[in-house]
Amino acid sequence: MKIENNISLKKFNTFGVDVNASKFLTISSIEELEEILIKEKNVFTLGGGSNLLLTQDINKLVLLIAIKGIEIIKETEDHVYLKSYAGENWHEFVLWCIEHDYGGLENLSLIPGNVGTSPIQNIGAYGVEIKDCFHSLETIEIETFKKHTFNKKECEFGYRNSIFKNKLKGKHIITSVVFKLSRNNHKLNFSYGAITSELEKNDIKKPTIKDISDAVIVIRNRKLPDPKEIGNSGSFFKNPIISKEHFEKLQKKYPEIPYYTISNSEIKVPAGWLIEHAGFKGKRYGDTGTHEKQALVLVNYGNAKGKDIFKLAKKIQKTIKESYDIILDIEVNVI
Ligand code: EPU
């Protein structure tokens, strides 16, 4: 274990923002993590850096969690319980599951980031969230350097939310996650219109999990910028949930506004639509802006600073509040 000094974090966050880490350590095993936490508690945990906006240098010890491995914990006739260590790349893990014909995560193909950070914001796409296949996770508590196990209920999952974004924020480091996946009779979810049309286009009538994954990859590549080409962190804001009365007022003014009914009294509206119709889509401000195909994605065209991106986010929030009386919550972790 060797602590490095003054490392640029540019290649460790998908926004590609260049800030300095005064101390940096790559962690390859749980033992190494325990060992360092005994000595040092002023740490900043880094996974895939895909849900992170860095607006300042980090003057803590940055721990890059690179613990690898996938293990079968248990198999029943219908299910497999798979443990993946935190440092596995999320998309590679999903592809590994598909190759072994383990079903459940195929709709979550091509999401950037690592397995260990996926439960923090309960990653989701195309009608599936990881909570749907989640079994449990293991952590090390920073303060006590003790191991803990959390089951699904204890993680308090919600829409892009969990206990690790709230009560336990910054208190635990996730070391592994166990998923319960199907071994046969996969329950496919292709309710999302874009998936259905992609399958129809390819004349696929009885899709496999691989077909769903392939369709999701095509759809994501069409709409979302590849962080290797244009720095970004996926959806920057959450889709807001508003009251039915509020929505009905908006709908009178904008009859074409898309929506999803959450309950009798609550409606979710796509933040991307609001941002586009407030005039921000594809607009560039210096080296930052919103993506030309998905206004909910803020981008770094090259040398944007975290502060520039954050300033644009504030400007969007202000405009959306003034135009629609809606508060947009930031989904990305801003440091
Ligand atoms: N829309 C616009 N203009 C835009 C973007 C979207 O009018 O610039 C409209 C679309 O036409 C559509 C609606 O908004 O009617 C929803 O758009 P989309 O299907 O692209 O999904 P989203 O609600 O913007 C959410 C997730 C994405 C996830 C997709 C697909 C959140 C915050 N985002 O986006 O997740 O991939 O659904 O399931 O819930 C992420 O979290 O990083 C992410 C990419």
Side-chain angles (χ1 to χ4, degrees):
M1 280 208 300
K2 189 175 171 299
I3 294 179
E4 296 170 89
N5 292 309
N6 294 320
I7 295 288
S8 162
L9 294 182
K10 192 173 167 75
K11 65 171 194 230
F12 298 107
N13 70 98
T14 58
F15 254 127
V17 165
D18 193 3
V19 301
N20 182 70
S22 54
K23 291 184 288 170
F24 185 96
L25 180 63
T26 302
I27 298 289
S28 308
S29 69
I30 293 177
E31 294 70 34
E32 282 182 2
L33 185 56
E34 284 170 323
E35 201 182 308
I36 193 70
L37 289 178
I38 291 171
K39 291 186 238 159
E40 177 69 89
K41 299 207 186 321
N42 193 20
V43 297
F44 177 83
T45 316
L46 194 58
S50 63
N51 202 40
L52 182 65
L53 178 61
L54 295 164
T55 64
Q56 55 189 319
D57 291 338
I58 309 285
N59 293 315
K60 296 179 176 182
L61 171 62
V62 173
L63 298 179
L64 179 70
I65 307 300
I67 310 169
K68 303 266 188 198
I70 301 172
E71 289 167 7
I72 295 175
I73 301 288
K74 186 170 103 179
E75 274 180 298
T76 64
E77 201 168 309
D78 296 329
H79 293 102
V80 62
Y81 293 74
L82 266 190
K83 178 191 265 194
S84 168
Y85 286 89
E88 289 289 338
N89 171 273
W90 174 262
H91 180 58
E92 282 167 23
F93 173 64
V94 172
L95 293 183
W96 189 94
C97 295
I98 291 165
E99 231 170 76
H100 290 78
D101 200 27
Y102 298 144
L105 299 176
E106 51 284 351
N107 293 48
L108 305 178
S109 298
L110 213 62
I111 295 185
N114 285 356
V115 170
T117 36
S118 63
I120 299 178
Q121 50 151 337
N122 180 24
I123 58 170
Y126 311 107
V128 175
E129 293 180 331
I130 75 154
K131 76 165 172 36
D132 303 330
C133 297
F134 177 91
H135 177 265
S136 58
L137 59 77
E138 284 177 333
T139 70
I140 296 192
E141 192 178 359
I142 295 173
E143 192 56 40
T144 60
F145 44 86
K146 285 216 168 75
K147 286 182 181 161
H148 292 262
T149 303
F150 290 77
N151 64 26
K152 183 144 94 178
K153 196 159 168 263
E154 289 162 337
C155 289
E156 298 179 9
F157 289 123
Y159 166 57
R160 292 295 191 280
N161 212 352
S162 77
I163 195 166
F164 303 103
K165 269 182 113 175
N166 296 293
K167 226 169 20 203
L168 297 185
K169 189 171 176 172
K171 300 220 181 305
H172 288 250
I173 298 178
I174 297 171
T175 51
S176 66
V177 185
V178 177
F179 296 93
K180 181 185 174 188
L181 302 176
S182 55
R183 295 182 63 205
N184 43 54
N185 297 324
H186 303 306
K187 277 203 198 85
L188 303 183
N189 185 327
F190 47 95
S191 54
Y192 201 88
I195 297 187
T196 325
S197 19
E198 201 50 44
L199 294 173
E200 273 168 17
K201 205 164 84 189
N202 296 315
D203 205 20
I204 297 170
K205 298 209 169 62
K206 280 192 177 164
T208 60
I209 54 174
K210 168 92 168 51
D211 293 328
I212 303 276
S213 169
D214 288 346
V216 167
I217 290 172
V218 170
I219 298 162
R220 288 189 78 94
N221 278 334
R222 201 157 52 207
K223 274 203 191 168
L224 297 164
D226 179 351
K228 288 194 198 93
E229 284 156 27
I230 305 176
N232 75 88
S233 207
S235 302
F236 195 88
F237 303 98
K238 287 189 196 182
N239 285 332
I241 295 168
I242 58 174
S243 72
K244 202 167 172 212
E245 294 75 47
H246 189 168
F247 175 72
E248 281 165 357
K249 262 195 237 156
L250 278 180
Q251 203 181 27
K252 272 209 185 99
K253 208 163 161 199
Y254 310 100
E256 73 289 5
I257 185 169
Y259 66 96
Y260 323 95
T261 304
I262 300 288
S263 67
N264 284 342
S265 56
E266 287 177 316
I267 306 280
K268 195 194 255 186
V269 289
W273 188 94
L274 299 171
I275 299 169
E276 173 174 348
H277 289 80
F280 285 103
K281 189 172 186 173
K283 283 263 173 72
R284 187 168 171 162
Y285 305 84
D287 253 0
T288 184
T290 67
H291 188 54
E292 53 179 7
K293 295 187 191 134
Q294 204 347 334
L296 186 51
V297 178
L298 302 195
V299 294
N300 174 9
Y301 287 104
N303 293 312
K305 297 216 174 332
K307 284 201 170 93
D308 304 331
I309 299 168
F310 193 50
K311 207 166 124 197
L312 173 60
K314 290 270 176 213
K315 186 180 159 105
I316 291 173
Q317 280 178 316
K318 187 165 175 276
T319 308
I320 298 302
K321 175 78 179 83
E322 286 163 2
S323 313
Y324 311 102
D325 195 21
I326 290 178
I327 293 170
L328 281 188
D329 282 338
I330 292 180
E331 202 232 310
V332 168
N333 195 8
V334 180
I335 303 295

